[in-house]
Amino acid sequence: MRLARWCALVSVSLLSLLALPALAAGTLDRIRASKSISFGYRESSIPFSFTGEDNQPWGYSVDLCLRIAAAVVKQLDLDELQLHWVAVTPANRISKLRSGQIDVECGSTTSSLARMAEVDFSLPIFADGASYLYRRTAGIRRVDDLAGKRIAVAAATTNQRTLAEILARDKLAAEVVEVGDHTQGLAALLGGRVDAYFADRSLLIGLALDAGKQTDWSLGPETFSYEPYALMLRRNDADFRLLINRELARLYRSREILSIHDRWFGFLGKPGSQLESLYQLNALPE
């Protein structure tokens, strides 16, 4: 009797294990069947991922995802592929990915070990670091001047954790104001409700340029963190991740990435040494 129960248990376990590869490789199968792919994008992460004046997604990360869509069409030999764009926020981007509402997040998300417990990431696509944007009239010149100020930061981001660590480390008594996204952070700064907005440097530059009157704004001189951006996808989907990484590596090897970079960051000049190293180190051979 015990042997029979044990055999039955082993049979069920083996069937469960056999089912895992099918679940893990489901994204490409679903794309092939539906001839559609769903991309998540940010509405205000300029210049990585944002809504343009035509209400369509634009940006550096969006361009990379368009290249990935073309790679999907080629690998699956599809005659058509519908692209569905779904707006996401820092608070819901992981849940929308895990629930299947999006297949890839094309935004400005930092690849971190903590997030890898819930999702997977592509090869890195950019490298940035946290800083702060403020009005020139705010009397802020360095991080110590943030004491007694109101600082906005997007909730559920690595920047929120970094800001808390800085304030604790330097014993700075500042009021932290949580916002939902960069649009709300910039609005709070423009409206005078906060004195500074804490986010990644490239995003802050994009926000300042988009706000106009660039001479009114200053960017903090310090960089407080290392933020390697990557495209986010569901865990345990090796085939889909390989397709994404293969296309990114091809862009890096061929140097086509430079034209995409120039389109969105040309006003800053060529890629810096850190970003150039990122491209070179991830130009994996076929």
Side-chain angles (χ1 to χ4, degrees):
M1 182 64 71
R2 290 181 179 176
L3 180 60
R5 289 177 179 173
W6 183 83
C7 290
L9 180 60
V10 170
S11 297
V12 171
S13 299
L14 287 173
L15 287 173
S16 299
L17 289 172
L18 290 172
L20 285 177
L23 291 172
T27 303
L28 287 178
D29 291 338
R30 189 200 57 73
I31 292 173
R32 182 184 287 108
S34 66
K35 294 186 177 181
S36 67
I37 187 170
S38 296
F39 290 127
Y41 76 99
R42 298 283 296 277
E43 295 183 295
S44 58
S45 288
I46 302 170
F48 294 94
S49 183
F50 62 96
T51 302
E53 294 181 357
D54 57 357
N55 289 321
Q56 296 300 310
W58 292 91
Y60 173 85
S61 301
V62 171
D63 277 2
L64 294 181
C65 281
L66 290 174
R67 297 298 187 100
I68 288 165
V72 168
V73 169
K74 182 178 180 181
Q75 179 168 315
L76 299 184
D77 194 24
L78 300 176
D79 53 2
E80 64 175 348
L81 180 65
Q82 294 182 354
L83 308 185
H84 299 300
W85 294 95
V86 180
V88 300
T89 68
N92 67 24
R93 55 189 166 183
I94 290 179
S95 62
K96 285 195 174 186
L97 180 66
R98 296 184 66 185
S99 68
Q101 295 179 65
I102 61 174
D103 298 309
V104 187
E105 192 237 0
C106 316
S108 53
T109 296
T110 298
S111 174
S112 70
L113 295 173
R115 286 174 176 157
M116 288 180 189
E118 299 183 82
V119 296
D120 271 348
F121 288 95
S122 70
L123 294 174
I125 63 170
F126 200 81
D128 210 344
S131 192
Y132 50 95
L133 183 71
Y134 59 94
R135 284 190 182 276
R136 290 180 184 237
T137 57
I140 299 172
R141 296 293 180 271
R142 58 186 185 277
V143 67
D144 290 348
D145 296 328
L146 294 176
K149 305 294 186 181
R150 290 168 57 85
I151 311 167
V153 65
T157 63
T158 53
N159 296 144
Q160 184 180 33
R161 183 176 67 247
T162 299
L163 177 58
E165 292 172 352
I166 293 166
L167 297 179
R169 180 197 68 194
D170 295 346
K171 297 180 174 58
L172 300 176
E175 181 180 351
V176 176
V177 179
E178 291 186 6
V179 296
D181 57 24
H182 300 307
T183 299
Q184 293 180 18
L186 182 61
L189 194 57
L190 289 170
R193 297 188 297 278
V194 298
D195 302 296
Y197 182 52
F198 194 88
D200 293 338
R201 296 186 70 87
S202 297
L203 292 169
L204 293 174
I205 292 170
L207 289 170
L209 291 173
D210 189 57
K213 297 183 178 179
Q214 285 77 38
T215 56
D216 292 348
W217 308 101
S218 287
L219 187 65
E222 306 96 339
T223 300
F224 298 103
S225 64
Y226 170 57
E227 308 288 341
Y229 292 177
L231 304 178
M232 191 165 57
L233 59 150
R234 281 182 291 279
R235 293 188 75 192
N236 302 320
D237 200 337
D239 291 340
F240 189 45
R241 185 175 64 247
L242 176 60
L243 183 150
I244 292 172
N245 286 343
R246 176 169 276 146
E247 178 60 14
L248 291 176
R250 187 193 69 79
L251 291 173
Y252 301 161
R253 285 197 314 272
S254 67
R255 307 298 282 171
E256 290 178 47
I257 190 64
L258 296 182
S259 63
I260 299 175
H261 176 276
D262 186 62
R263 181 182 185 189
W264 298 106
F265 299 97
F267 62 92
L268 296 176
K270 296 184 181 298
S273 58
Q274 180 175 253
L275 185 57
E276 180 61 41
S277 296
L278 182 148
Y279 290 152
Q280 292 183 8
L281 291 172
N282 289 283
L284 305 180
E286 187 55 56

